[in-house]
Coordinates of all heavy atoms in Angstrom, one line a residue:
M1 N -9.5 -30.0 -87.6 CA -10.0 -31.2 -87.0 C -10.1 -32.3 -88.1 O -10.7 -32.2 -89.1 CB -11.4 -30.9 -86.5 CG -12.2 -32.0 -86.0 SD -13.8 -31.6 -85.2 CE -14.9 -31.5 -86.5
K2 N -9.5 -33.4 -87.8 CA -9.4 -34.6 -88.6 C -10.5 -35.7 -88.2 O -10.4 -36.0 -87.0 CB -8.1 -35.2 -88.7 CG -8.0 -36.3 -89.8 CD -6.6 -36.8 -89.8 CE -6.6 -38.1 -90.9 NZ -5.4 -38.7 -91.0
I3 N -11.3 -36.1 -89.1 CA -12.3 -37.2 -88.7 C -11.7 -38.5 -89.1 O -11.3 -38.6 -90.4 CB -13.6 -36.9 -89.4 CG1 -14.2 -35.5 -89.1 CG2 -14.6 -38.0 -89.2 CD1 -14.5 -35.4 -87.6
L4 N -11.6 -39.4 -88.2 CA -11.2 -40.7 -88.5 C -12.3 -41.7 -88.8 O -13.4 -41.5 -88.2 CB -10.4 -41.3 -87.3 CG -9.2 -40.4 -86.8 CD1 -8.7 -41.0 -85.5 CD2 -8.1 -40.4 -87.8
T5 N -12.0 -42.7 -89.6 CA -13.0 -43.8 -89.8 C -13.0 -44.7 -88.6 O -12.2 -44.6 -87.7 CB -12.7 -44.6 -91.1 OG1 -11.5 -45.3 -90.8 CG2 -12.6 -43.8 -92.3
T6 N -14.0 -45.5 -88.6 CA -14.1 -46.5 -87.4 C -12.9 -47.3 -87.3 O -12.4 -47.5 -86.3 CB -15.4 -47.3 -87.6 OG1 -16.5 -46.5 -87.8 CG2 -15.6 -48.2 -86.4
K7 N -12.5 -47.8 -88.5 CA -11.3 -48.7 -88.5 C -10.0 -47.9 -88.1 O -9.2 -48.5 -87.3 CB -11.1 -49.2 -90.0 CG -10.0 -50.2 -90.1 CD -9.9 -50.8 -91.5 CE -8.8 -51.9 -91.5 NZ -8.6 -52.4 -92.9
Q8 N -9.8 -46.7 -88.5 CA -8.7 -45.9 -88.2 C -8.7 -45.6 -86.6 O -7.6 -45.7 -86.0 CB -8.7 -44.6 -88.9 CG -8.4 -44.6 -90.4 CD -8.6 -43.4 -91.1 OE1 -9.4 -42.5 -90.7 NE2 -7.8 -43.2 -92.1
A9 N -9.9 -45.3 -86.1 CA -10.0 -45.0 -84.6 C -9.6 -46.3 -83.9 O -9.0 -46.2 -82.8 CB -11.3 -44.5 -84.3
A10 N -10.1 -47.4 -84.3 CA -9.9 -48.7 -83.6 C -8.4 -49.0 -83.7 O -7.8 -49.4 -82.7 CB -10.7 -49.8 -84.3
E11 N -7.7 -48.8 -84.8 CA -6.3 -49.0 -84.9 C -5.5 -48.1 -84.0 O -4.6 -48.5 -83.4 CB -5.9 -48.9 -86.4 CG -6.3 -50.0 -87.3 CD -6.0 -49.8 -88.7 OE1 -5.4 -48.7 -89.1 OE2 -6.3 -50.7 -89.5
M12 N -6.0 -46.9 -83.9 CA -5.4 -45.9 -83.1 C -5.3 -46.3 -81.6 O -4.4 -46.1 -80.8 CB -6.0 -44.5 -83.2 CG -5.2 -43.4 -82.5 SD -6.1 -41.8 -83.0 CE -5.2 -40.7 -82.1
L13 N -6.5 -47.0 -81.2 CA -6.7 -47.5 -79.8 C -6.1 -48.9 -79.6 O -6.1 -49.4 -78.5 CB -8.1 -47.4 -79.4 CG -8.7 -46.0 -79.3 CD1 -10.2 -46.1 -79.2 CD2 -8.1 -45.3 -78.1
S14 N -5.7 -49.6 -80.7 CA -5.3 -51.0 -80.7 C -6.4 -51.9 -80.2 O -6.2 -52.8 -79.3 CB -4.0 -51.1 -79.8 OG -3.0 -50.3 -80.4
I15 N -7.6 -51.7 -80.7 CA -8.8 -52.5 -80.3 C -9.5 -52.9 -81.6 O -9.2 -52.3 -82.7 CB -9.7 -51.7 -79.3 CG1 -10.3 -50.4 -79.9 CG2 -9.0 -51.5 -78.0 CD1 -11.3 -49.8 -79.1
S16 N -10.5 -53.8 -81.5 CA -11.3 -54.1 -82.6 C -12.3 -53.1 -82.9 O -12.7 -52.3 -82.0 CB -11.9 -55.5 -82.4 OG -12.8 -55.5 -81.4
V17 N -12.9 -53.2 -84.0 CA -14.0 -52.3 -84.4 C -15.2 -52.5 -83.5 O -15.9 -51.6 -83.1 CB -14.4 -52.4 -85.9 CG1 -15.6 -51.6 -86.3 CG2 -13.2 -51.9 -86.7
S18 N -15.5 -53.8 -83.2 CA -16.6 -54.1 -82.4 C -16.4 -53.6 -81.0 O -17.5 -53.1 -80.3 CB -16.9 -55.6 -82.4 OG -15.8 -56.3 -81.9
T19 N -15.2 -53.6 -80.4 CA -14.9 -53.1 -79.1 C -15.1 -51.6 -79.1 O -15.7 -51.0 -78.2 CB -13.5 -53.4 -78.7 OG1 -13.4 -54.8 -78.7 CG2 -13.2 -52.9 -77.3
L20 N -14.7 -50.9 -80.2 CA -14.8 -49.5 -80.4 C -16.3 -49.1 -80.4 O -16.8 -48.2 -79.7 CB -14.2 -49.0 -81.7 CG -14.4 -47.5 -82.0 CD1 -13.8 -46.6 -80.9 CD2 -13.9 -47.2 -83.3
R21 N -17.2 -50.0 -81.1 CA -18.6 -49.7 -81.1 C -19.3 -49.8 -79.7 O -20.2 -49.2 -79.3 CB -19.3 -50.6 -82.1 CG -19.0 -50.3 -83.5 CD -19.8 -51.1 -84.5 NE -19.4 -50.9 -85.9 CZ -19.8 -49.9 -86.6 NH1 -20.6 -49.0 -86.1 NH2 -19.4 -49.7 -87.9
A22 N -18.7 -50.8 -78.9 CA -19.2 -51.1 -77.6 C -18.9 -49.8 -76.7 O -19.7 -49.5 -75.8 CB -18.6 -52.3 -77.0
L23 N -17.7 -49.3 -76.9 CA -17.3 -48.1 -76.1 C -18.2 -46.9 -76.5 O -18.6 -46.1 -75.6 CB -15.8 -47.7 -76.4 CG -14.8 -48.7 -75.7 CD1 -13.4 -48.4 -76.2 CD2 -14.8 -48.6 -74.2
V24 N -18.6 -46.8 -77.7 CA -19.6 -45.7 -78.1 C -20.9 -45.9 -77.5 O -21.4 -45.1 -77.0 CB -19.6 -45.7 -79.7 CG1 -20.8 -44.8 -80.1 CG2 -18.3 -45.2 -80.3
R25 N -21.4 -47.2 -77.5 CA -22.6 -47.5 -76.8 C -22.6 -47.2 -75.4 O -23.7 -46.8 -74.8 CB -23.1 -49.0 -77.1 CG -23.6 -49.2 -78.5 CD -24.2 -50.6 -78.6 NE -23.4 -51.6 -78.3 CZ -22.6 -52.2 -79.2 NH1 -22.6 -51.9 -80.4 NH2 -21.8 -53.2 -78.8
A26 N -21.5 -47.4 -74.8 CA -21.4 -47.1 -73.3 C -21.2 -45.7 -73.0 O -21.2 -45.3 -71.9 CB -20.2 -48.0 -72.8
G27 N -21.0 -44.9 -74.0 CA -20.8 -43.5 -73.8 C -19.4 -43.1 -73.5 O -19.2 -41.9 -73.0
E28 N -18.5 -43.9 -73.7 CA -17.1 -43.6 -73.4 C -16.4 -42.7 -74.5 O -15.5 -42.0 -74.1 CB -16.3 -44.9 -73.2 CG -16.7 -45.8 -72.0 CD -16.3 -45.1 -70.7 OE1 -15.3 -44.5 -70.6 OE2 -17.1 -45.2 -69.7
I29 N -16.8 -42.9 -75.7 CA -16.2 -42.2 -76.8 C -17.3 -41.5 -77.6 O -18.3 -42.2 -77.9 CB -15.4 -43.1 -77.7 CG1 -14.3 -43.8 -76.9 CG2 -14.8 -42.3 -78.9 CD1 -13.4 -44.7 -77.6
A30 N -17.2 -40.3 -78.0 CA -18.2 -39.6 -78.8 C -17.8 -39.8 -80.3 O -16.7 -40.1 -80.6 CB -18.1 -38.0 -78.5
Y31 N -18.9 -39.7 -81.1 CA -18.6 -40.0 -82.5 C -19.4 -38.9 -83.3 O -20.3 -38.2 -82.8 CB -19.1 -41.4 -83.0 CG -20.5 -41.5 -83.0 CD1 -21.2 -41.4 -84.2 CD2 -21.2 -42.0 -81.8 CE1 -22.7 -41.7 -84.2 CE2 -22.6 -42.2 -81.8 CZ -23.3 -42.1 -83.0 OH -24.6 -42.3 -83.0
V32 N -19.0 -38.7 -84.5 CA -19.7 -37.9 -85.5 C -20.5 -38.7 -86.5 O -19.9 -39.5 -87.2 CB -18.7 -36.9 -86.3 CG1 -19.4 -36.0 -87.2 CG2 -17.9 -36.2 -85.2
P33 N -21.8 -38.5 -86.6 CA -22.5 -39.3 -87.6 C -22.1 -38.9 -89.0 O -21.9 -37.8 -89.4 CB -24.0 -39.0 -87.4 CG -24.0 -38.1 -86.1 CD -22.7 -37.7 -85.8
R34 N -21.9 -39.9 -89.8 CA -21.5 -39.7 -91.2 C -22.4 -40.4 -92.1 O -22.8 -41.6 -91.9 CB -20.1 -40.3 -91.4 CG -19.0 -39.5 -90.7 CD -17.6 -40.1 -90.8 NE -17.5 -40.6 -92.3 CZ -16.5 -41.4 -92.6 NH1 -15.6 -41.6 -91.8 NH2 -16.4 -41.8 -93.8
G35 N -22.8 -39.7 -93.2 CA -23.7 -40.4 -94.2 C -25.1 -40.7 -93.6 O -25.5 -40.3 -92.5
V36 N -25.8 -41.6 -94.3 CA -27.1 -42.0 -94.0 C -27.1 -43.5 -93.9 O -27.6 -44.1 -94.9 CB -28.2 -41.5 -94.9 CG1 -29.6 -41.8 -94.3 CG2 -28.1 -39.9 -95.1
G37 N -26.7 -44.1 -92.8 CA -26.6 -45.6 -92.8 C -28.0 -46.1 -92.5 O -28.8 -45.6 -91.7
T38 N -28.4 -47.2 -93.3 CA -29.7 -47.7 -93.0 C -29.6 -48.9 -92.1 O -30.5 -49.1 -91.3 CB -30.3 -48.2 -94.4 OG1 -29.4 -49.1 -95.0 CG2 -30.6 -47.0 -95.2
V39 N -28.6 -49.7 -92.2 CA -28.4 -50.9 -91.4 C -27.6 -50.5 -90.1 O -28.0 -50.8 -89.0 CB -27.8 -52.1 -92.1 CG1 -27.5 -53.2 -91.3 CG2 -28.6 -52.5 -93.3
R40 N -26.5 -50.0 -90.3 CA -25.6 -49.5 -89.2 C -25.1 -48.1 -89.6 O -24.6 -47.9 -90.7 CB -24.4 -50.5 -89.2 CG -23.5 -50.2 -88.0 CD -22.3 -51.1 -88.0 NE -22.8 -52.3 -87.4 CZ -22.0 -53.5 -87.3 NH1 -20.9 -53.4 -88.0 NH2 -22.4 -54.5 -86.7
Q41 N -25.3 -47.2 -88.6 CA -24.9 -45.8 -88.8 C -23.4 -45.8 -88.9 O -22.7 -46.3 -88.1 CB -25.4 -45.0 -87.6 CG -25.2 -43.5 -87.8 CD -25.8 -42.8 -86.7 OE1 -26.0 -43.2 -85.6 NE2 -26.0 -41.5 -86.9
H42 N -23.0 -45.0 -89.9 CA -21.6 -44.8 -90.1 C -21.0 -43.8 -89.1 O -21.7 -42.7 -88.9 CB -21.2 -44.3 -91.5 CG -21.6 -45.4 -92.6 ND1 -20.7 -46.4 -92.8 CD2 -22.6 -45.5 -93.3 CE1 -21.3 -47.2 -93.8 NE2 -22.5 -46.7 -94.1
M43 N -20.0 -44.0 -88.4 CA -19.4 -43.2 -87.4 C -18.1 -42.6 -87.9 O -17.3 -43.3 -88.4 CB -19.2 -43.9 -86.1 CG -20.5 -44.5 -85.5 SD -20.1 -45.3 -83.9 CE -21.0 -46.7 -84.1
G44 N -17.9 -41.4 -87.5 CA -16.6 -40.8 -87.7 C -16.1 -40.3 -86.3 O -16.9 -40.0 -85.4
F45 N -14.8 -40.3 -86.1 CA -14.3 -40.0 -84.8 C -13.2 -38.9 -84.9 O -12.4 -38.9 -85.8 CB -13.6 -41.2 -84.2 CG -14.6 -42.3 -83.9 CD1 -14.8 -43.3 -84.9 CD2 -15.2 -42.4 -82.7 CE1 -15.7 -44.3 -84.7 CE2 -16.2 -43.4 -82.5 CZ -16.4 -44.4 -83.5
D46 N -13.4 -37.8 -84.0 CA -12.5 -36.8 -83.9 C -11.2 -37.3 -83.3 O -11.3 -37.9 -82.2 CB -13.1 -35.6 -83.2 CG -12.2 -34.4 -83.2 OD1 -11.1 -34.4 -83.8 OD2 -12.6 -33.4 -82.5
A47 N -10.1 -37.0 -83.9 CA -8.8 -37.5 -83.3 C -8.6 -37.0 -81.9 O -8.0 -37.7 -81.1 CB -7.6 -37.1 -84.3
T48 N -9.0 -35.8 -81.6 CA -8.8 -35.2 -80.2 C -9.6 -36.0 -79.2 O -9.3 -36.2 -78.1 CB -9.1 -33.7 -80.2 OG1 -10.4 -33.4 -80.7 CG2 -8.1 -33.0 -81.0
D49 N -10.9 -36.4 -79.7 CA -11.7 -37.2 -78.8 C -11.0 -38.6 -78.5 O -11.1 -39.1 -77.3 CB -13.1 -37.5 -79.4 CG -14.0 -36.3 -79.4 OD1 -13.7 -35.3 -78.6 OD2 -14.9 -36.3 -80.2
I50 N -10.4 -39.2 -79.4 CA -9.7 -40.4 -79.2 C -8.5 -40.2 -78.3 O -8.3 -41.0 -77.3 CB -9.2 -41.0 -80.5 CG1 -10.4 -41.3 -81.5 CG2 -8.4 -42.3 -80.4 CD1 -11.4 -42.3 -81.0
E51 N -7.8 -39.1 -78.4 CA -6.6 -38.8 -77.6 C -7.1 -38.6 -76.2 O -6.5 -38.9 -75.2 CB -5.8 -37.7 -78.1 CG -5.1 -38.0 -79.4 CD -4.6 -36.7 -80.1 OE1 -4.8 -35.6 -79.6 OE2 -4.0 -37.0 -81.3
D52 N -8.3 -37.8 -76.1 CA -8.8 -37.6 -74.7 C -9.2 -38.9 -74.0 O -9.0 -39.0 -72.8 CB -10.0 -36.6 -74.8 CG -9.7 -35.2 -75.2 OD1 -8.4 -34.8 -75.0 OD2 -10.5 -34.5 -75.5
F53 N -9.8 -39.8 -74.8 CA -10.2 -41.1 -74.2 C -8.8 -41.8 -73.7 O -8.9 -42.4 -72.6 CB -10.9 -42.0 -75.3 CG -11.1 -43.4 -74.7 CD1 -12.2 -43.6 -73.9 CD2 -10.4 -44.4 -75.2 CE1 -12.4 -44.9 -73.4 CE2 -10.6 -45.7 -74.8 CZ -11.6 -46.0 -73.8
I54 N -7.8 -41.8 -74.5 CA -6.6 -42.4 -74.1 C -6.1 -41.8 -72.8 O -5.7 -42.5 -71.9 CB -5.5 -42.4 -75.2 CG1 -6.0 -43.2 -76.4 CG2 -4.2 -42.8 -74.7 CD1 -5.2 -42.9 -77.7
K55 N -6.1 -40.5 -72.7 CA -5.7 -39.8 -71.4 C -6.5 -40.2 -70.2 O -6.0 -40.4 -69.2 CB -5.6 -38.3 -71.6 CG -4.6 -37.8 -72.6 CD -4.7 -36.3 -72.8 CE -3.7 -35.8 -73.9 NZ -3.8 -34.4 -74.2
R56 N -7.8 -40.3 -70.5 CA -8.7 -40.7 -69.3 C -8.6 -42.1 -68.9 O -8.8 -42.5 -67.8 CB -10.2 -40.4 -69.7 CG -10.7 -39.1 -69.8 CD -12.2 -39.0 -69.9 NE -12.8 -40.0 -70.8 CZ -13.1 -39.8 -72.1 NH1 -12.8 -38.7 -72.7 NH2 -13.7 -40.8 -72.8
S57 N -8.1 -43.0 -69.8 CA -8.0 -44.4 -69.6 C -6.7 -44.8 -69.0 O -6.5 -46.0 -68.7 CB -8.3 -45.1 -70.8 OG -9.6 -44.9 -71.3
K58 N -5.7 -43.9 -68.9 CA -4.4 -44.3 -68.4 C -4.6 -44.7 -67.0 O -5.2 -44.1 -66.2 CB -3.5 -43.1 -68.5 CG -3.0 -42.9 -69.9 CD -1.9 -41.8 -69.9 CE -1.4 -41.6 -71.3 NZ -0.4 -40.5 -71.4
V59 N -3.8 -45.7 -66.6 CA -3.8 -46.3 -65.3 C -2.3 -46.2 -64.8 O -1.4 -46.5 -65.4 CB -4.2 -47.8 -65.3 CG1 -4.1 -48.4 -63.9 CG2 -5.5 -47.9 -65.9
R60 N -2.2 -45.7 -63.5 CA -0.9 -45.6 -62.9 C -0.9 -46.6 -61.7 O -1.8 -46.4 -60.8 CB -0.6 -44.2 -62.4 CG 0.7 -44.0 -61.8 CD 0.9 -42.6 -61.4 NE 0.6 -41.7 -62.5 CZ 1.5 -40.9 -63.1 NH1 2.7 -40.9 -62.7 NH2 1.1 -40.1 -64.1
L61 N 0.0 -47.5 -61.7 CA 0.0 -48.5 -60.6 C 0.6 -47.9 -59.4 O 1.6 -47.1 -59.5 CB 0.7 -49.8 -61.0 CG 0.1 -50.6 -62.1 CD1 1.0 -51.8 -62.5 CD2 -1.3 -51.1 -61.8
V62 N 0.1 -48.1 -58.3 CA 0.6 -47.6 -57.0 C 1.5 -48.6 -56.5 O 1.1 -49.7 -56.4 CB -0.6 -47.3 -56.1 CG1 0.0 -46.7 -54.7 CG2 -1.6 -46.3 -56.7
P63 N 2.7 -48.2 -56.0 CA 3.6 -49.2 -55.4 C 2.9 -49.8 -54.2 O 2.1 -49.3 -53.4 CB 4.8 -48.4 -55.0 CG 4.5 -46.9 -55.2 CD 3.3 -46.8 -56.0
R64 N 3.3 -51.1 -54.0 CA 2.7 -51.9 -52.9 C 3.1 -51.3 -51.6 O 4.4 -51.0 -51.3 CB 3.1 -53.3 -53.0 CG 2.5 -54.2 -51.9 CD 2.7 -55.7 -52.2 NE 2.2 -56.3 -51.1 CZ 2.6 -57.4 -50.6 NH1 3.6 -58.1 -51.2 NH2 2.1 -58.1 -49.6
V65 N 2.2 -51.1 -50.7 CA 2.5 -50.7 -49.3 C 2.5 -51.8 -48.4 O 1.7 -52.6 -48.4 CB 1.4 -49.6 -48.9 CG1 1.7 -49.2 -47.5 CG2 1.3 -48.5 -49.9
E66 N 3.6 -51.9 -47.6 CA 3.8 -53.0 -46.7 C 2.7 -52.8 -45.5 O 2.5 -51.7 -45.1 CB 5.2 -53.1 -46.1 CG 6.2 -53.4 -47.2 CD 6.0 -54.8 -47.8 OE1 5.6 -55.7 -47.1 OE2 6.2 -54.9 -49.0
P67 N 2.2 -53.8 -44.9 CA 1.3 -53.7 -43.8 C 1.9 -53.0 -42.6 O 3.1 -53.3 -42.4 CB 0.8 -55.2 -43.5 CG 1.8 -56.0 -44.2 CD 2.4 -55.3 -45.4
T68 N 1.2 -52.3 -41.9 CA 1.7 -51.5 -40.8 C 1.6 -52.3 -39.5 O 2.1 -51.9 -38.5 CB 1.0 -50.2 -40.6 OG1 -0.4 -50.4 -40.5 CG2 1.3 -49.3 -41.8
H69 N 0.8 -53.4 -39.6 CA 0.7 -54.2 -38.4 C 1.2 -55.7 -38.7 O 1.2 -56.1 -39.8 CB -0.8 -54.3 -38.0 CG -1.7 -55.1 -39.0 ND1 -2.1 -54.6 -40.2 CD2 -2.1 -56.4 -38.9 CE1 -2.7 -55.5 -40.8 NE2 -2.9 -56.5 -40.0
T70 N 1.5 -56.4 -37.6 CA 1.9 -57.7 -37.7 C 0.8 -58.6 -37.2 O 0.2 -58.2 -36.1 CB 3.2 -58.0 -37.0 OG1 3.1 -57.6 -35.7 CG2 4.4 -57.2 -37.6
P71 N 0.4 -59.7 -37.8 CA -0.6 -60.6 -37.2 C -0.2 -61.1 -35.9 O 0.9 -61.4 -35.5 CB -0.7 -61.7 -38.3 CG 0.3 -61.5 -39.3 CD 1.0 -60.3 -39.0
K72 N -1.2 -61.2 -35.0 CA -1.0 -61.7 -33.6 C -0.6 -63.2 -33.6 O 0.1 -63.7 -32.8 CB -2.3 -61.5 -32.8 CG -2.5 -60.0 -32.6 CD -3.7 -59.7 -31.7 CE -3.9 -58.2 -31.6 NZ -5.2 -57.8 -31.5
T73 N -1.2 -63.9 -34.6 CA -0.9 -65.4 -34.6 C 0.0 -65.5 -35.8 O 0.4 -64.6 -36.5 CB -2.1 -66.2 -34.7 OG1 -2.8 -65.7 -35.8 CG2 -3.0 -66.0 -33.5
G74 N 0.3 -66.8 -36.1 CA 1.2 -67.1 -37.2 C 0.5 -66.8 -38.6 O -0.5 -66.1 -38.7
S75 N 1.0 -67.4 -39.7 CA 0.5 -67.1 -41.0 C -0.8 -67.8 -41.2 O -1.3 -68.7 -40.4 CB 1.5 -67.5 -42.0 OG 1.6 -68.9 -41.9
F76 N -1.4 -67.4 -42.3 CA -2.7 -68.1 -42.6 C -2.5 -69.6 -42.7 O -3.4 -70.4 -42.2 CB -3.2 -67.5 -43.9 CG -4.4 -68.2 -44.5 CD1 -5.7 -67.9 -44.0 CD2 -4.3 -69.2 -45.5 CE1 -6.8 -68.6 -44.5 CE2 -5.4 -69.8 -46.0 CZ -6.7 -69.5 -45.4
L77 N -1.5 -70.0 -43.4 CA -1.3 -71.4 -43.6 C -1.1 -72.1 -42.3 O -1.6 -73.2 -42.0 CB -0.2 -71.7 -44.5 CG 0.1 -73.1 -44.9 CD1 -1.1 -73.7 -45.6 CD2 1.3 -73.2 -45.9
A78 N -0.3 -71.5 -41.4 CA 0.0 -72.1 -40.0 C -1.4 -72.2 -39.3 O -1.6 -73.3 -38.6 CB 1.0 -71.3 -39.3
N79 N -2.2 -71.2 -39.3 CA -3.5 -71.2 -38.6 C -4.3 -72.3 -39.2 O -5.1 -73.0 -38.5 CB -4.2 -69.9 -38.8 CG -3.5 -68.8 -38.0 OD1 -2.9 -69.1 -37.0 ND2 -3.8 -67.6 -38.3
R80 N -4.3 -72.5 -40.5 CA -5.2 -73.5 -41.2 C -4.7 -74.9 -40.8 O -5.6 -75.8 -40.5 CB -5.1 -73.4 -42.7 CG -6.0 -74.3 -43.4 CD -6.0 -74.0 -45.0 NE -7.0 -74.8 -45.6 CZ -6.7 -76.1 -46.1 NH1 -5.5 -76.6 -46.0 NH2 -7.6 -76.7 -46.7
V81 N -3.4 -75.2 -40.7 CA -2.9 -76.4 -40.3 C -3.3 -76.7 -38.9 O -3.7 -77.8 -38.5 CB -1.3 -76.5 -40.6 CG1 -0.7 -77.7 -39.9 CG2 -1.0 -76.4 -42.0
A82 N -3.2 -75.7 -38.0 CA -3.6 -76.0 -36.6 C -5.0 -76.2 -36.5 O -5.5 -77.1 -35.7 CB -3.2 -74.7 -35.8
R83 N -5.9 -75.6 -37.3 CA -7.4 -75.8 -37.2 C -7.7 -77.2 -37.7 O -8.5 -77.9 -37.1 CB -8.1 -74.8 -38.1 CG -8.3 -73.5 -37.4 CD -9.4 -72.6 -38.2 NE -9.1 -72.5 -39.5 CZ -8.4 -71.6 -40.2 NH1 -7.6 -70.7 -39.4 NH2 -8.2 -71.5 -41.4
L84 N -7.0 -77.7 -38.8 CA -7.2 -79.1 -39.3 C -6.7 -80.1 -38.3 O -7.4 -81.2 -38.2 CB -6.5 -79.2 -40.7 CG -7.1 -78.4 -41.9 CD1 -6.2 -78.6 -43.1 CD2 -8.5 -78.9 -42.1
A85 N -5.6 -79.8 -37.6 CA -5.1 -80.8 -36.6 C -6.1 -80.8 -35.5 O -6.4 -82.0 -35.0 CB -3.8 -80.3 -36.2
A86 N -6.7 -79.7 -35.1 CA -7.6 -79.7 -33.9 C -8.9 -80.5 -34.4 O -9.5 -81.2 -33.6 CB -8.0 -78.3 -33.6
K87 N -9.3 -80.3 -35.6 CA -10.5 -81.0 -36.2 C -10.3 -82.5 -36.1 O -11.1 -83.3 -35.8 CB -10.8 -80.4 -37.5 CG -12.1 -81.0 -38.1 CD -12.3 -80.4 -39.5 CE -13.6 -80.9 -40.1 NZ -13.9 -80.3 -41.4
A88 N -9.0 -82.9 -36.6 CA -8.7 -84.3 -36.7 C -8.7 -84.9 -35.2 O -9.2 -86.0 -35.0 CB -7.4 -84.6 -37.3
A89 N -8.2 -84.2 -34.3 CA -8.1 -84.6 -32.9 C -9.5 -84.8 -32.3 O -9.8 -85.7 -31.6 CB -7.3 -83.6 -32.0
R90 N -10.4 -83.9 -32.6 CA -11.8 -84.1 -32.2 C -12.5 -85.3 -32.8 O -13.3 -86.0 -32.0 CB -12.6 -82.8 -32.5 CG -12.3 -81.6 -31.7 CD -13.4 -80.5 -31.8 NE -13.5 -80.0 -33.2 CZ -12.8 -79.1 -33.8 NH1 -11.9 -78.4 -33.1 NH2 -13.0 -78.7 -35.0
K91 N -12.2 -85.6 -34.0 CA -12.8 -86.8 -34.6 C -12.3 -88.0 -33.9 O -13.0 -89.0 -33.8 CB -12.4 -86.8 -36.1 CG -13.3 -85.9 -36.9 CD -13.1 -86.2 -38.4 CE -14.0 -85.3 -39.2 NZ -13.8 -85.5 -40.7
T92 N -11.0 -88.1 -33.6 CA -10.5 -89.3 -32.9 C -11.0 -89.6 -31.5 O -11.1 -90.6 -31.0 CB -8.9 -89.2 -32.8 OG1 -8.5 -88.1 -32.2 CG2 -8.3 -89.3 -34.3
L93 N -11.4 -88.4 -30.8 CA -12.0 -88.5 -29.5 C -13.5 -89.1 -29.6 O -13.9 -89.6 -28.6 CB -12.1 -87.1 -28.8 CG -10.7 -86.5 -28.5 CD1 -10.9 -85.1 -27.9 CD2 -9.9 -87.4 -27.6
K94 N -14.1 -89.0 -30.6 CA -15.5 -89.5 -30.7 C -15.6 -90.9 -30.8 O -15.0 -91.8 -31.0 CB -16.2 -88.8 -31.9 CG -16.5 -87.4 -31.7 CD -17.2 -86.9 -32.9 CE -17.6 -85.4 -32.7 NZ -18.3 -84.9 -33.9

């Protein structure tokens, strides 16, 4: 088990140290307390925890699915133009 420093773990994730600390505060990544920090606790990170976080964070895009229905009326833009024309016609009648 290799313990990484905060900077090494952030570099492994390609994020800043402050972002890494935010992930720790959110409970997304576990850390190992190191030393006796008085102002800011020193954190160590297990390399396997970082790798597990990467695996959990992977996103797979789903291919776009075409709609199975066709609109009964024209497109959104055509409907909008028709509504605006009807609104203008009502104004001229007043």
Side-chain angles (χ1 to χ4, degrees):
M1 174 168 84
K2 182 178 178 182
I3 300 296
L4 303 172
T5 65
T6 307
K7 185 175 180 180
Q8 289 171 333
E11 287 174 357
M12 190 173 176
L13 292 169
S14 299
I15 59 175
S16 68
V17 172
S18 60
T19 302
L20 177 62
R21 289 184 186 281
L23 288 170
V24 168
R25 280 191 303 273
E28 295 289 327
I29 299 177
Y31 72 95
V32 178
R34 293 179 34 192
V36 186
T38 55
V39 176
R40 181 181 280 171
Q41 186 175 20
H42 294 279
M43 296 184 225
F45 297 91
D46 185 3
T48 56
D49 287 340
I50 301 297
E51 291 168 2
D52 289 343
F53 174 76
I54 293 171
K55 287 177 186 174
R56 285 193 322 266
S57 300
K58 284 186 180 178
V59 176
R60 185 179 307 245
L61 295 178
V62 179
R64 183 174 177 207
V65 177
E66 295 299 323
T68 57
H69 69 283
T70 56
K72 294 178 180 149
T73 58
S75 68
F76 172 80
L77 187 57
N79 289 338
R80 183 173 188 272
V81 169
R83 283 193 308 273
L84 291 174
K87 185 177 180 180
R90 285 192 304 269
K91 279 187 176 182
T92 57
L93 293 176
K94 289 184 180 180

